[in-house]
Amino acid sequence: MLAAMSVPDTPPSASGAPPSRDRGDACPGSLRLHRADDGALARVRIPGGVLSDRQAEALLEAARELGDGELHLTSRGNVQLRGLGAECGGQLAELLGGAGLLPSWSHERIRNVVASPLSGLDGRGHRDVRPWLTALDALLCGSDKAAGLSGRFLFALDDGRGDVDALGADVSLLAAADGSALLRIGAAETVVRVAGAQAPRAALIAAGTFLDAARPTGVWRVAELPFPAAELLERVRKALGAAGVEAAAGAEHVPLATAAEGPGYGPVGLPGAASVCVGVPLGRLTGAQWESLARAGSELRLTPWRSVVVTGMAPGGAAARLREWGEAGLVVGPGSAWTGVGACIGRPGCAKSLADVRGDAEAFVRSAGAAAGQFPVYWSGCERRCGHPGGDRADAVAVPGGYRVTQVRDGVRGAPVTVQGSPADLAAAVTAARRTRS
């Protein structure tokens, strides 16, 4: 046991000095590949996680012909292709561009938009945010100024249910019951109300206002600015007025959603609707799994929780498909031991990783079984904790010779436990960190 004071689990923000950004943003994309230990890596931005059958087929072809044959889902509903050859860039761009996955070569890394994955499917929420998604993506790709955003800057389109509002986006649009939209900046609990029809343009103006504010320091995210997000919101409100976008005269207080919960596994939507959600253990889909999902319906929606919503399935066919996918290793209902378990790529794919975290996560799942009602757990190969979720969770971070296990509750990181013993000791420590209040 290591003695330690509890510390906030927050990024650098107005409470301290902004981080140094003395180098360019090296975030990978479809055209800027990243060299990893298992080959080159491409990160394909998929706004809202929405893929047509043609686009899903193109990604599968790229994975099989150019990469390791698998498709890796990210915590922003995007796809990573791994094991790519060093000279495959031109062929990859041709494949993706032909399927409409590269609408703008100069903007492809900034198309970071998450959206409520069940919007328009289950009767919840205040509106279907798909029109916002289409409009915002077009505005981003058509804006020279927006091309200056970091590949880490994130937009969220929440249909009012509060799911993606809790993901820590830089600019969020929340659908309101009266048809308007609430514009949130970072984690500020003050919002500005704008007309629903003007919401995508308001989000673009907010991003441009951030770029103006960030220019002196070169920071990449709202949380890194040397002043509070609420102050940036006031600048945004003035910029909206100057651009002719009608906004409410004053700010409103709307608490930030705290539980970023994805769709439940199994059938989703209104009675009679033909949509299902399946979980993807560790976000890794084989080519056969991906192909089966893509061919089952008219559209895939990849979620920030590393799950897939399949829409437009044949009536009455969902039950058989779910049985098939369950047998293929996907999560198709409640009670799975994989629920809430995530991990970064770890060894051997990442040179910075100190452990095969995916192998260790799999061993934990086999030994621990289901953990209904407990905190999720995320396994990280190093201190960077790439892809880790927000909210309450258990963190298992590889350290020399073992793991450091910590519980994060209400934004506060508890005292860590360092485990350098047997797998049983590690499983016990992780299980203890997943326990909620008794």
Side-chain angles (χ1 to χ4, degrees), residues 24 149 160 220 222 275 284 307 317 411:
L149 291 170
W220 297 335
V222 166
S275 300
R284 185 173 56 199
S307 59

Side-chain angles (χ1 to χ4, degrees), residues 266-289:
V268 298
L270 299 171
S275 300
V276 301
C277 179
V278 298
V280 181
L282 303 181
R284 185 173 56 199
L285 283 160
T286 66
Q289 289 171 332

Side-chain angles (χ1 to χ4, degrees), residues 23 44 66 78 98 124 155 161 187-188 192 200 204 220 236 289 301 312 339-340 348 368 370 384 412 423 434:
R23 60 177 177 82
V44 185
L66 307 175
N78 295 320
R124 295 180 58 197
F155 296 87
R161 73 185 68 209
V192 168
L204 179 69
W220 297 335
V236 169
Q289 289 171 332
R301 298 186 184 184
T339 301
R384 296 183 305 164
V412 175
R434 298 187 77 181

Side-chain angles (χ1 to χ4, degrees), residues 223-250:
E224 298 169 350
L225 288 169
F227 53 83
E231 181 178 327
L232 181 61
L233 179 66
E234 281 305 301
R235 299 189 192 186
V236 169
R237 189 172 62 82
K238 294 176 182 177
L240 293 173
V245 176
E246 185 176 348

Side-chain angles (χ1 to χ4, degrees), residues 106 280 293 418:
S106 57
V280 181
L293 292 170
T418 297

Side-chain angles (χ1 to χ4, degrees), residues 60-112:
L60 177 60
E61 183 178 353
R64 284 177 166 170
E65 297 297 324
L66 307 175
D68 63 5
E70 296 186 332
L71 297 104
H72 305 260
L73 308 187
T74 78
S75 59
R76 292 183 169 188
N78 295 320
V79 168
Q80 288 189 163
L81 303 173
R82 303 190 67 96
L84 299 169
E87 305 301 325
C88 76
Q91 189 176 352
L92 177 62
E94 183 178 355
L95 270 173
L96 300 181
L101 290 167
L102 287 176
S104 170
W105 286 37
S106 57
H107 294 70
E108 61 95 7
R109 291 191 313 132
I110 70 157
R111 301 171 69 226
N112 293 306

Side-chain angles (χ1 to χ4, degrees), residues 187-408:
E189 293 200 339
T190 52
V191 299
V192 168
R193 188 179 296 268
V194 299
Q198 291 291 317
R201 186 171 174 227
L204 179 69
I205 291 170
T209 306
F210 162 79
L211 284 172
D212 293 338
R215 189 170 294 115
T217 58
V219 299
W220 297 335
R221 305 287 310 271
V222 166
E224 298 169 350
L225 288 169
F227 53 83
E231 181 178 327
L232 181 61
L233 179 66
E234 281 305 301
R235 299 189 192 186
V236 169
R237 189 172 62 82
K238 294 176 182 177
L240 293 173
V245 176
E246 185 176 348
E252 304 175 37
H253 182 265
V254 176
L256 189 72
T258 57
E261 296 183 358
Y265 303 132
V268 298
L270 299 171
S275 300
V276 301
C277 179
V278 298
V280 181
L282 303 181
R284 185 173 56 199
L285 283 160
T286 66
Q289 289 171 332
W290 179 272
E291 186 173 28
S292 180
L293 292 170
R295 292 184 174 179
S298 60
E299 176 185 86
L300 298 184
R301 298 186 184 184
L302 313 181
T303 84
W305 298 274
R306 295 183 173 89
S307 59
V308 181
V309 177
V310 184
T311 72
M313 298 178 66
R321 285 291 192 176
L322 287 171
R323 285 194 298 272
E324 172 191 337
W325 292 332
E327 292 170 356
L330 301 178
V331 183
V332 297
S336 169
W338 279 109
T339 301
V341 179
C344 70
I345 195 66
R347 287 189 179 274
C350 178
K352 291 184 171 61
S353 179
L354 299 176
D356 175 11
V357 292
R358 293 194 169 198
D360 291 337
E362 290 173 356
F364 170 77
V365 166
R366 288 194 299 270
S367 66
Q374 297 193 29
F375 289 156
V377 55
Y378 194 79
W379 299 73
S380 301
C382 71
E383 296 292 347
R384 296 183 305 164
R385 297 181 294 137
C386 294
H388 76 83
D392 293 344
R393 65 186 183 277
D395 272 344
V397 180
V399 296
Y403 279 88
R404 187 184 67 250
V405 181
T406 317
Q407 184 183 84
V408 180

